[in-house]
Amino acid sequence: QLQFVESGGGLVQPGGSLRLSCAASGFTLDDYAIGWFRQAPGKEREGVSCISGSENSTYYADSVKGRFTISRDNAKNTVYLQMNSLKFEDTGVYYCAALRGLLLRLCVSGVMDYWGKGTRVTVSS
């Protein structure tokens, strides 16, 4: 069975940090571009960051550049999102997704082969 399991979300104060994990089962991550997306109430889904399957090329939305870092551990079949200097507007449900294709097609166009159920991040004082 193909699935993602996201973890690491929670409540954090502005300026704080969280590390999200996305563990895949049933398929091999290094064959796919993997991305983190977020959905906030009343806002459109946003592609936050993506990483390619083989070259480790990365993409970051302008809203998170310099604050978030995506990485992958193919041996663990897991992708991570380190989130630093969190802001109120980073609040939302974060979920990971995979596409057997181009990184930008995943992150910018939002085309996905698989996606998880998400983990909630709340930035609040």
Side-chain angles (χ1 to χ4, degrees):
Q1 183 177 356
L2 304 173
Q3 66 174 0
F4 280 122
V5 177
E6 300 99 333
S7 61
L11 174 64
V12 63
Q13 292 185 339
S17 298
L18 284 174
R19 188 195 194 205
L20 306 183
S21 298
C22 170
S25 61
F27 65 104
T28 303
L29 278 185
D30 56 0
D31 292 335
Y32 293 81
I34 307 296
W36 284 96
F37 293 76
R38 68 184 177 193
Q39 181 77 58
K43 295 184 178 180
E44 291 189 359
R45 183 186 67 192
E46 179 183 18
V48 174
S49 181
C50 293
I51 187 166
S52 63
S54 57
E55 299 174 351
N56 276 347
S57 299
T58 57
Y59 165 91
Y60 294 95
D62 288 342
S63 57
V64 306
K65 279 181 181 176
R67 301 188 297 122
F68 290 11
T69 303
I70 191 170
S71 61
R72 64 193 300 157
D73 185 336
N74 288 341
K76 295 182 178 180
N77 227 27
T78 300
V79 174
Y80 304 97
L81 185 68
Q82 178 67 44
M83 306 188 296
N84 298 328
S85 302
L86 284 162
K87 304 177 180 180
F88 292 118
E89 52 264 41
D90 293 320
T91 294
V93 176
Y94 286 68
Y95 62 98
C96 54
L99 174 68
R100 195 159 190 163
L102 297 176
L103 180 152
L104 292 181
R105 186 168 165 80
L106 171 64
C107 229
V108 178
S109 302
V111 179
M112 305 172 183
D113 290 328
Y114 310 112
W115 56 91
K117 294 183 179 180
T119 182
R120 184 173 298 277
V121 172
T122 303
V123 184
S124 176
S125 55

